[in-house]
PDB file of all heavy atoms in Angstrom:
ATOM      1  N   ARG Z 121    -154.417-256.245 -57.650  1.00 65.00           N
ATOM      2  CA  ARG Z 121    -153.863-255.118 -58.393  1.00 65.00           C
ATOM      3  C   ARG Z 121    -154.655-253.856 -58.068  1.00 65.00           C
ATOM      4  O   ARG Z 121    -155.803-253.927 -57.634  1.00 65.00           O
ATOM      5  CB  ARG Z 121    -153.926-255.375 -59.893  1.00 65.00           C
ATOM      6  CG  ARG Z 121    -153.064-256.540 -60.314  1.00 65.00           C
ATOM      7  CD  ARG Z 121    -153.033-256.692 -61.800  1.00 65.00           C
ATOM      8  NE  ARG Z 121    -154.387-256.937 -62.307  1.00 65.00           N
ATOM      9  CZ  ARG Z 121    -154.736-256.834 -63.569  1.00 65.00           C
ATOM     10  NH1 ARG Z 121    -153.849-256.485 -64.461  1.00 65.00           N
ATOM     11  NH2 ARG Z 121    -155.967-257.082 -63.955  1.00 65.00           N
ATOM     12  N   TYR Z 122    -154.021-252.710 -58.299  1.00 63.00           N
ATOM     13  CA  TYR Z 122    -154.655-251.407 -58.133  1.00 63.00           C
ATOM     14  C   TYR Z 122    -155.109-251.159 -56.702  1.00 63.00           C
ATOM     15  O   TYR Z 122    -156.006-250.387 -56.457  1.00 63.00           O
ATOM     16  CB  TYR Z 122    -155.838-251.235 -59.093  1.00 63.00           C
ATOM     17  CG  TYR Z 122    -155.506-251.580 -60.504  1.00 63.00           C
ATOM     18  CD1 TYR Z 122    -156.096-252.673 -61.120  1.00 63.00           C
ATOM     19  CD2 TYR Z 122    -154.588-250.835 -61.209  1.00 63.00           C
ATOM     20  CE1 TYR Z 122    -155.778-252.996 -62.425  1.00 63.00           C
ATOM     21  CE2 TYR Z 122    -154.264-251.161 -62.513  1.00 63.00           C
ATOM     22  CZ  TYR Z 122    -154.864-252.234 -63.113  1.00 63.00           C
ATOM     23  OH  TYR Z 122    -154.543-252.557 -64.398  1.00 63.00           O
ATOM     24  N   ILE Z 123    -154.527-251.859 -55.774  1.00 73.00           N
ATOM     25  CA  ILE Z 123    -154.858-251.677 -54.364  1.00 73.00           C
ATOM     26  C   ILE Z 123    -153.559-251.451 -53.615  1.00 73.00           C
ATOM     27  O   ILE Z 123    -152.556-252.076 -53.907  1.00 73.00           O
ATOM     28  CB  ILE Z 123    -155.567-252.930 -53.797  1.00 73.00           C
ATOM     29  CG1 ILE Z 123    -156.893-253.173 -54.502  1.00 73.00           C
ATOM     30  CG2 ILE Z 123    -155.802-252.805 -52.307  1.00 73.00           C
ATOM     31  CD1 ILE Z 123    -157.586-254.444 -54.065  1.00 73.00           C
ATOM     32  N   SER Z 124    -153.599-250.582 -52.651  1.00 80.00           N
ATOM     33  CA  SER Z 124    -152.434-250.407 -51.791  1.00 80.00           C
ATOM     34  C   SER Z 124    -152.240-251.687 -50.986  1.00 80.00           C
ATOM     35  O   SER Z 124    -153.125-252.102 -50.244  1.00 80.00           O
ATOM     36  CB  SER Z 124    -152.648-249.217 -50.856  1.00 80.00           C
ATOM     37  OG  SER Z 124    -151.679-249.207 -49.847  1.00 80.00           O
ATOM     38  N   HIS Z 125    -151.100-252.314 -51.147  1.00 81.00           N
ATOM     39  CA  HIS Z 125    -150.859-253.587 -50.458  1.00 81.00           C
ATOM     40  C   HIS Z 125    -150.801-253.397 -48.946  1.00 81.00           C
ATOM     41  O   HIS Z 125    -151.232-254.268 -48.199  1.00 81.00           O
ATOM     42  CB  HIS Z 125    -149.570-254.225 -50.976  1.00 81.00           C
ATOM     43  CG  HIS Z 125    -149.724-254.828 -52.331  1.00 81.00           C
ATOM     44  ND1 HIS Z 125    -150.176-256.099 -52.520  1.00 81.00           N
ATOM     45  CD2 HIS Z 125    -149.529-254.308 -53.563  1.00 81.00           C
ATOM     46  CE1 HIS Z 125    -150.238-256.360 -53.812  1.00 81.00           C
ATOM     47  NE2 HIS Z 125    -149.852-255.279 -54.473  1.00 81.00           N
ATOM     48  N   LYS Z 126    -150.285-252.269 -48.488  1.00 86.00           N
ATOM     49  CA  LYS Z 126    -150.229-252.002 -47.044  1.00 86.00           C
ATOM     50  C   LYS Z 126    -151.639-251.906 -46.466  1.00 86.00           C
ATOM     51  O   LYS Z 126    -151.941-252.492 -45.425  1.00 86.00           O
ATOM     52  CB  LYS Z 126    -149.441-250.715 -46.805  1.00 86.00           C
ATOM     53  CG  LYS Z 126    -149.315-250.317 -45.378  1.00 86.00           C
ATOM     54  CD  LYS Z 126    -148.259-251.110 -44.695  1.00 86.00           C
ATOM     55  CE  LYS Z 126    -147.973-250.517 -43.347  1.00 86.00           C
ATOM     56  NZ  LYS Z 126    -146.775-251.004 -42.757  1.00 86.00           N
ATOM     57  N   LYS Z 127    -152.516-251.188 -47.138  1.00 88.00           N
ATOM     58  CA  LYS Z 127    -153.900-251.064 -46.670  1.00 88.00           C
ATOM     59  C   LYS Z 127    -154.604-252.412 -46.696  1.00 88.00           C
ATOM     60  O   LYS Z 127    -155.357-252.741 -45.787  1.00 88.00           O
ATOM     61  CB  LYS Z 127    -154.672-250.055 -47.525  1.00 88.00           C
ATOM     62  CG  LYS Z 127    -154.259-248.629 -47.304  1.00 88.00           C
ATOM     63  CD  LYS Z 127    -155.054-247.703 -48.203  1.00 88.00           C
ATOM     64  CE  LYS Z 127    -154.565-246.289 -48.094  1.00 88.00           C
ATOM     65  NZ  LYS Z 127    -155.284-245.396 -49.005  1.00 88.00           N
ATOM     66  N   LEU Z 128    -154.357-253.182 -47.740  1.00 87.00           N
ATOM     67  CA  LEU Z 128    -154.963-254.508 -47.836  1.00 87.00           C
ATOM     68  C   LEU Z 128    -154.463-255.400 -46.703  1.00 87.00           C
ATOM     69  O   LEU Z 128    -155.248-256.119 -46.074  1.00 87.00           O
ATOM     70  CB  LEU Z 128    -154.661-255.134 -49.190  1.00 87.00           C
ATOM     71  CG  LEU Z 128    -155.220-256.544 -49.407  1.00 87.00           C
ATOM     72  CD1 LEU Z 128    -156.736-256.551 -49.316  1.00 87.00           C
ATOM     73  CD2 LEU Z 128    -154.762-257.085 -50.745  1.00 87.00           C
ATOM     74  N   ALA Z 129    -153.168-255.344 -46.416  1.00 88.00           N
ATOM     75  CA  ALA Z 129    -152.605-256.161 -45.340  1.00 88.00           C
ATOM     76  C   ALA Z 129    -153.202-255.755 -43.991  1.00 88.00           C
ATOM     77  O   ALA Z 129    -153.556-256.617 -43.171  1.00 88.00           O
ATOM     78  CB  ALA Z 129    -151.089-256.024 -45.311  1.00 88.00           C
ATOM     79  N   LEU Z 130    -153.337-254.457 -43.746  1.00 91.00           N
ATOM     80  CA  LEU Z 130    -153.948-254.005 -42.489  1.00 91.00           C
ATOM     81  C   LEU Z 130    -155.408-254.447 -42.402  1.00 91.00           C
ATOM     82  O   LEU Z 130    -155.867-254.886 -41.342  1.00 91.00           O
ATOM     83  CB  LEU Z 130    -153.850-252.487 -42.371  1.00 91.00           C
ATOM     84  CG  LEU Z 130    -152.469-251.925 -42.086  1.00 91.00           C
ATOM     85  CD1 LEU Z 130    -152.481-250.403 -42.164  1.00 91.00           C
ATOM     86  CD2 LEU Z 130    -151.973-252.390 -40.733  1.00 91.00           C
ATOM     87  N   THR Z 131    -156.125-254.352 -43.506  1.00 90.00           N
ATOM     88  CA  THR Z 131    -157.529-254.782 -43.515  1.00 90.00           C
ATOM     89  C   THR Z 131    -157.648-256.270 -43.216  1.00 90.00           C
ATOM     90  O   THR Z 131    -158.505-256.694 -42.441  1.00 90.00           O
ATOM     91  CB  THR Z 131    -158.172-254.458 -44.880  1.00 90.00           C
ATOM     92  OG1 THR Z 131    -158.064-253.049 -45.105  1.00 90.00           O
ATOM     93  CG2 THR Z 131    -159.631-254.862 -44.908  1.00 90.00           C
ATOM     94  N   LEU Z 132    -156.784-257.074 -43.820  1.00 91.00           N
ATOM     95  CA  LEU Z 132    -156.806-258.515 -43.551  1.00 91.00           C
ATOM     96  C   LEU Z 132    -156.466-258.799 -42.091  1.00 91.00           C
ATOM     97  O   LEU Z 132    -157.058-259.690 -41.481  1.00 91.00           O
ATOM     98  CB  LEU Z 132    -155.828-259.239 -44.480  1.00 91.00           C
ATOM     99  CG  LEU Z 132    -156.212-259.269 -45.955  1.00 91.00           C
ATOM    100  CD1 LEU Z 132    -155.082-259.858 -46.784  1.00 91.00           C
ATOM    101  CD2 LEU Z 132    -157.491-260.043 -46.163  1.00 91.00           C
ATOM    102  N   GLY Z 133    -155.526-258.056 -41.539  1.00 92.00           N
ATOM    103  CA  GLY Z 133    -155.186-258.234 -40.126  1.00 92.00           C
ATOM    104  C   GLY Z 133    -156.333-257.867 -39.215  1.00 92.00           C
ATOM    105  O   GLY Z 133    -156.604-258.551 -38.226  1.00 92.00           O
ATOM    106  N   ILE Z 134    -157.039-256.808 -39.538  1.00 94.00           N
ATOM    107  CA  ILE Z 134    -158.194-256.388 -38.738  1.00 94.00           C
ATOM    108  C   ILE Z 134    -159.293-257.440 -38.814  1.00 94.00           C
ATOM    109  O   ILE Z 134    -159.885-257.820 -37.809  1.00 94.00           O
ATOM    110  CB  ILE Z 134    -158.708-255.016 -39.214  1.00 94.00           C
ATOM    111  CG1 ILE Z 134    -157.688-253.930 -38.870  1.00 94.00           C
ATOM    112  CG2 ILE Z 134    -160.058-254.690 -38.613  1.00 94.00           C
ATOM    113  CD1 ILE Z 134    -157.948-252.603 -39.543  1.00 94.00           C
ATOM    114  N   LYS Z 135    -159.559-257.938 -40.013  1.00 94.00           N
ATOM    115  CA  LYS Z 135    -160.611-258.949 -40.177  1.00 94.00           C
ATOM    116  C   LYS Z 135    -160.246-260.271 -39.513  1.00 94.00           C
ATOM    117  O   LYS Z 135    -161.122-261.004 -39.068  1.00 94.00           O
ATOM    118  CB  LYS Z 135    -160.916-259.158 -41.654  1.00 94.00           C
ATOM    119  CG  LYS Z 135    -161.594-257.954 -42.268  1.00 94.00           C
ATOM    120  CD  LYS Z 135    -162.108-258.259 -43.645  1.00 94.00           C
ATOM    121  CE  LYS Z 135    -162.784-257.058 -44.224  1.00 94.00           C
ATOM    122  NZ  LYS Z 135    -164.145-256.889 -43.788  1.00 94.00           N
ATOM    123  N   ALA Z 136    -158.959-260.574 -39.417  1.00 93.00           N
ATOM    124  CA  ALA Z 136    -158.523-261.826 -38.797  1.00 93.00           C
ATOM    125  C   ALA Z 136    -158.497-261.737 -37.274  1.00 93.00           C
ATOM    126  O   ALA Z 136    -158.434-262.771 -36.604  1.00 93.00           O
ATOM    127  CB  ALA Z 136    -157.131-262.203 -39.305  1.00 93.00           C
ATOM    128  N   SER Z 137    -158.571-260.544 -36.727  1.00 94.00           N
ATOM    129  CA  SER Z 137    -158.455-260.395 -35.274  1.00 94.00           C
ATOM    130  C   SER Z 137    -159.705-260.910 -34.562  1.00 94.00           C
ATOM    131  O   SER Z 137    -160.819-260.771 -35.040  1.00 94.00           O
ATOM    132  CB  SER Z 137    -158.207-258.934 -34.909  1.00 94.00           C
ATOM    133  OG  SER Z 137    -159.327-258.152 -35.254  1.00 94.00           O
ATOM    134  N   LYS Z 138    -159.469-261.504 -33.394  1.00 94.00           N
ATOM    135  CA  LYS Z 138    -160.570-262.023 -32.579  1.00 94.00           C
ATOM    136  C   LYS Z 138    -161.077-260.984 -31.592  1.00 94.00           C
ATOM    137  O   LYS Z 138    -162.198-261.073 -31.119  1.00 94.00           O
ATOM    138  CB  LYS Z 138    -160.102-263.241 -31.772  1.00 94.00           C
ATOM    139  CG  LYS Z 138    -159.829-264.466 -32.570  1.00 94.00           C
ATOM    140  CD  LYS Z 138    -159.608-265.672 -31.665  1.00 94.00           C
ATOM    141  CE  LYS Z 138    -158.271-265.594 -30.977  1.00 94.00           C
ATOM    142  NZ  LYS Z 138    -157.914-266.828 -30.267  1.00 94.00           N
ATOM    143  N   TYR Z 139    -160.249-260.021 -31.260  1.00 93.00           N
ATOM    144  CA  TYR Z 139    -160.562-259.094 -30.177  1.00 93.00           C
ATOM    145  C   TYR Z 139    -160.893-257.704 -30.709  1.00 93.00           C
ATOM    146  O   TYR Z 139    -160.506-257.328 -31.814  1.00 93.00           O
ATOM    147  CB  TYR Z 139    -159.393-259.023 -29.194  1.00 93.00           C
ATOM    148  CG  TYR Z 139    -158.995-260.373 -28.656  1.00 93.00           C
ATOM    149  CD1 TYR Z 139    -157.707-260.844 -28.807  1.00 93.00           C
ATOM    150  CD2 TYR Z 139    -159.923-261.195 -28.028  1.00 93.00           C
ATOM    151  CE1 TYR Z 139    -157.336-262.086 -28.322  1.00 93.00           C
ATOM    152  CE2 TYR Z 139    -159.561-262.434 -27.546  1.00 93.00           C
ATOM    153  CZ  TYR Z 139    -158.270-262.881 -27.694  1.00 93.00           C
ATOM    154  OH  TYR Z 139    -157.915-264.114 -27.227  1.00 93.00           O
ATOM    155  N   ASP Z 140    -161.617-256.938 -29.892  1.00 89.00           N
ATOM    156  CA  ASP Z 140    -162.069-255.611 -30.300  1.00 89.00           C
ATOM    157  C   ASP Z 140    -160.960-254.562 -30.243  1.00 89.00           C
ATOM    158  O   ASP Z 140    -160.954-253.618 -31.021  1.00 89.00           O
ATOM    159  CB  ASP Z 140    -163.229-255.149 -29.424  1.00 89.00           C
ATOM    160  CG  ASP Z 140    -164.488-255.965 -29.659  1.00 89.00           C
ATOM    161  OD1 ASP Z 140    -164.636-256.510 -30.766  1.00 89.00           O
ATOM    162  OD2 ASP Z 140    -165.313-256.064 -28.737  1.00 89.00           O
ATOM    163  N   TRP Z 141    -160.049-254.701 -29.303  1.00 89.00           N
ATOM    164  CA  TRP Z 141    -158.972-253.720 -29.155  1.00 89.00           C
ATOM    165  C   TRP Z 141    -157.801-254.133 -30.029  1.00 89.00           C
ATOM    166  O   TRP Z 141    -157.293-255.246 -29.931  1.00 89.00           O
ATOM    167  CB  TRP Z 141    -158.535-253.612 -27.702  1.00 89.00           C
ATOM    168  CG  TRP Z 141    -159.578-252.976 -26.843  1.00 89.00           C
ATOM    169  CD1 TRP Z 141    -160.448-253.608 -26.004  1.00 89.00           C
ATOM    170  CD2 TRP Z 141    -159.883-251.586 -26.743  1.00 89.00           C
ATOM    171  NE1 TRP Z 141    -161.269-252.699 -25.397  1.00 89.00           N
ATOM    172  CE2 TRP Z 141    -160.944-251.443 -25.834  1.00 89.00           C
ATOM    173  CE3 TRP Z 141    -159.356-250.449 -27.344  1.00 89.00           C
ATOM    174  CZ2 TRP Z 141    -161.484-250.209 -25.501  1.00 89.00           C
ATOM    175  CZ3 TRP Z 141    -159.902-249.215 -27.017  1.00 89.00           C
ATOM    176  CH2 TRP Z 141    -160.951-249.114 -26.106  1.00 89.00           C
ATOM    177  N   LEU Z 142    -157.366-253.210 -30.901  1.00 93.00           N
ATOM    178  CA  LEU Z 142    -156.295-253.500 -31.852  1.00 93.00           C
ATOM    179  C   LEU Z 142    -155.080-252.620 -31.566  1.00 93.00           C
ATOM    180  O   LEU Z 142    -155.215-251.437 -31.275  1.00 93.00           O
ATOM    181  CB  LEU Z 142    -156.768-253.229 -33.276  1.00 93.00           C
ATOM    182  CG  LEU Z 142    -158.004-253.990 -33.737  1.00 93.00           C
ATOM    183  CD1 LEU Z 142    -158.460-253.483 -35.092  1.00 93.00           C
ATOM    184  CD2 LEU Z 142    -157.723-255.467 -33.795  1.00 93.00           C
ATOM    185  N   VAL Z 143    -153.909-253.213 -31.674  1.00 93.00           N
ATOM    186  CA  VAL Z 143    -152.647-252.483 -31.559  1.00 93.00           C
ATOM    187  C   VAL Z 143    -151.871-252.759 -32.842  1.00 93.00           C
ATOM    188  O   VAL Z 143    -151.699-253.911 -33.227  1.00 93.00           O
ATOM    189  CB  VAL Z 143    -151.839-252.955 -30.327  1.00 93.00           C
ATOM    190  CG1 VAL Z 143    -150.498-252.264 -30.268  1.00 93.00           C
ATOM    191  CG2 VAL Z 143    -152.630-252.734 -29.047  1.00 93.00           C
ATOM    192  N   PHE Z 144    -151.421-251.692 -33.493  1.00 94.00           N
ATOM    193  CA  PHE Z 144    -150.679-251.827 -34.742  1.00 94.00           C
ATOM    194  C   PHE Z 144    -149.215-251.485 -34.510  1.00 94.00           C
ATOM    195  O   PHE Z 144    -148.898-250.527 -33.809  1.00 94.00           O
ATOM    196  CB  PHE Z 144    -151.244-250.891 -35.816  1.00 94.00           C
ATOM    197  CG  PHE Z 144    -152.671-251.191 -36.163  1.00 94.00           C
ATOM    198  CD1 PHE Z 144    -153.704-250.512 -35.548  1.00 94.00           C
ATOM    199  CD2 PHE Z 144    -152.974-252.156 -37.098  1.00 94.00           C
ATOM    200  CE1 PHE Z 144    -155.018-250.786 -35.860  1.00 94.00           C
ATOM    201  CE2 PHE Z 144    -154.288-252.442 -37.414  1.00 94.00           C
ATOM    202  CZ  PHE Z 144    -155.319-251.754 -36.796  1.00 94.00           C
ATOM    203  N   THR Z 145    -148.346-252.262 -35.107  1.00 93.00           N
ATOM    204  CA  THR Z 145    -146.921-251.973 -35.059  1.00 93.00           C
ATOM    205  C   THR Z 145    -146.282-252.476 -36.340  1.00 93.00           C
ATOM    206  O   THR Z 145    -146.948-253.090 -37.174  1.00 93.00           O
ATOM    207  CB  THR Z 145    -146.257-252.580 -33.800  1.00 93.00           C
ATOM    208  OG1 THR Z 145    -144.916-252.110 -33.707  1.00 93.00           O
ATOM    209  CG2 THR Z 145    -146.281-254.091 -33.836  1.00 93.00           C
ATOM    210  N   GLU Z 146    -145.017-252.203 -36.499  1.00 92.00           N
ATOM    211  CA  GLU Z 146    -144.276-252.602 -37.687  1.00 92.00           C
ATOM    212  C   GLU Z 146    -143.327-253.745 -37.344  1.00 92.00           C
ATOM    213  O   GLU Z 146    -142.980-253.958 -36.183  1.00 92.00           O
ATOM    214  CB  GLU Z 146    -143.482-251.422 -38.244  1.00 92.00           C
ATOM    215  CG  GLU Z 146    -144.344-250.292 -38.751  1.00 92.00           C
ATOM    216  CD  GLU Z 146    -145.066-250.631 -40.035  1.00 92.00           C
ATOM    217  OE1 GLU Z 146    -144.499-251.368 -40.870  1.00 92.00           O
ATOM    218  OE2 GLU Z 146    -146.198-250.167 -40.206  1.00 92.00           O
ATOM    219  N   ALA Z 147    -142.868-254.435 -38.353  1.00 90.00           N
ATOM    220  CA  ALA Z 147    -141.981-255.576 -38.146  1.00 90.00           C
ATOM    221  C   ALA Z 147    -140.601-255.146 -37.663  1.00 90.00           C
ATOM    222  O   ALA Z 147    -139.891-255.930 -37.044  1.00 90.00           O
ATOM    223  CB  ALA Z 147    -141.847-256.377 -39.438  1.00 90.00           C
ATOM    224  N   ASN Z 148    -140.221-253.908 -37.904  1.00 91.00           N
ATOM    225  CA  ASN Z 148    -138.895-253.451 -37.498  1.00 91.00           C
ATOM    226  C   ASN Z 148    -138.910-252.680 -36.177  1.00 91.00           C
ATOM    227  O   ASN Z 148    -137.958-251.994 -35.852  1.00 91.00           O
ATOM    228  CB  ASN Z 148    -138.268-252.590 -38.590  1.00 91.00           C
ATOM    229  CG  ASN Z 148    -139.070-251.344 -38.883  1.00 91.00           C
ATOM    230  OD1 ASN Z 148    -140.181-251.178 -38.407  1.00 91.00           O
ATOM    231  ND2 ASN Z 148    -138.506-250.476 -39.692  1.00 91.00           N
ATOM    232  N   CYS Z 149    -139.988-252.792 -35.418  1.00 91.00           N
ATOM    233  CA  CYS Z 149    -140.101-252.082 -34.140  1.00 91.00           C
ATOM    234  C   CYS Z 149    -139.901-253.044 -32.975  1.00 91.00           C
ATOM    235  O   CYS Z 149    -140.473-254.135 -32.955  1.00 91.00           O
ATOM    236  CB  CYS Z 149    -141.470-251.421 -34.017  1.00 91.00           C
ATOM    237  SG  CYS Z 149    -141.722-250.124 -35.236  1.00 91.00           S
ATOM    238  N   TYR Z 150    -139.109-252.602 -32.022  1.00 91.00           N
ATOM    239  CA  TYR Z 150    -138.817-253.401 -30.831  1.00 91.00           C
ATOM    240  C   TYR Z 150    -139.559-252.787 -29.652  1.00 91.00           C
ATOM    241  O   TYR Z 150    -139.427-251.586 -29.399  1.00 91.00           O
ATOM    242  CB  TYR Z 150    -137.311-253.414 -30.567  1.00 91.00           C
ATOM    243  CG  TYR Z 150    -136.910-254.380 -29.489  1.00 91.00           C
ATOM    244  CD1 TYR Z 150    -136.771-255.725 -29.764  1.00 91.00           C
ATOM    245  CD2 TYR Z 150    -136.675-253.943 -28.194  1.00 91.00           C
ATOM    246  CE1 TYR Z 150    -136.399-256.627 -28.784  1.00 91.00           C
ATOM    247  CE2 TYR Z 150    -136.306-254.834 -27.205  1.00 91.00           C
ATOM    248  CZ  TYR Z 150    -136.169-256.173 -27.502  1.00 91.00           C
ATOM    249  OH  TYR Z 150    -135.817-257.056 -26.525  1.00 91.00           O
ATOM    250  N   PRO Z 151    -140.353-253.562 -28.903  1.00 92.00           N
ATOM    251  CA  PRO Z 151    -141.056-253.007 -27.746  1.00 92.00           C
ATOM    252  C   PRO Z 151    -140.062-252.516 -26.691  1.00 92.00           C
ATOM    253  O   PRO Z 151    -139.011-253.106 -26.495  1.00 92.00           O
ATOM    254  CB  PRO Z 151    -141.869-254.178 -27.203  1.00 92.00           C
ATOM    255  CG  PRO Z 151    -141.809-255.234 -28.225  1.00 92.00           C
ATOM    256  CD  PRO Z 151    -140.660-254.966 -29.114  1.00 92.00           C
ATOM    257  N   VAL Z 152    -140.423-251.461 -26.007  1.00 91.00           N
ATOM    258  CA  VAL Z 152    -139.551-250.857 -25.005  1.00 91.00           C
ATOM    259  C   VAL Z 152    -139.290-251.818 -23.853  1.00 91.00           C
ATOM    260  O   VAL Z 152    -138.191-251.898 -23.336  1.00 91.00           O
ATOM    261  CB  VAL Z 152    -140.180-249.548 -24.483  1.00 91.00           C
ATOM    262  CG1 VAL Z 152    -139.380-248.956 -23.354  1.00 91.00           C
ATOM    263  CG2 VAL Z 152    -140.309-248.556 -25.612  1.00 91.00           C
ATOM    264  N   SER Z 153    -140.331-252.552 -23.464  1.00 92.00           N
ATOM    265  CA  SER Z 153    -140.182-253.490 -22.350  1.00 92.00           C
ATOM    266  C   SER Z 153    -141.191-254.620 -22.499  1.00 92.00           C
ATOM    267  O   SER Z 153    -141.987-254.634 -23.432  1.00 92.00           O
ATOM    268  CB  SER Z 153    -140.408-252.761 -21.021  1.00 92.00           C
ATOM    269  OG  SER Z 153    -141.774-252.416 -20.889  1.00 92.00           O
ATOM    270  N   LYS Z 154    -141.171-255.543 -21.552  1.00 94.00           N
ATOM    271  CA  LYS Z 154    -142.156-256.628 -21.552  1.00 94.00           C
ATOM    272  C   LYS Z 154    -143.538-256.128 -21.140  1.00 94.00           C
ATOM    273  O   LYS Z 154    -144.519-256.843 -21.264  1.00 94.00           O
ATOM    274  CB  LYS Z 154    -141.715-257.752 -20.612  1.00 94.00           C
ATOM    275  CG  LYS Z 154    -140.582-258.577 -21.166  1.00 94.00           C
ATOM    276  CD  LYS Z 154    -140.401-259.810 -20.320  1.00 94.00           C
ATOM    277  CE  LYS Z 154    -139.409-260.747 -20.926  1.00 94.00           C
ATOM    278  NZ  LYS Z 154    -139.953-261.562 -21.974  1.00 94.00           N
TER     279      LYS Z 154
END
Side-chain angles (χ1 to χ4, degrees):
R121 296 186 299 165
Y122 310 114
I123 297 176
S124 168
H125 285 274
K126 180 79 169 194
K127 289 179 186 177
L128 179 61
L130 288 173
T131 302
L132 291 173
I134 291 168
K135 291 190 179 278
S137 65
K138 290 190 287 189
Y139 305 123
D140 292 334
W141 291 101
L142 303 172
V143 176
F144 298 95
T145 188
E146 295 289 326
N148 61 351
C149 295
Y150 189 81
V152 175
S153 70
K154 286 191 173 279

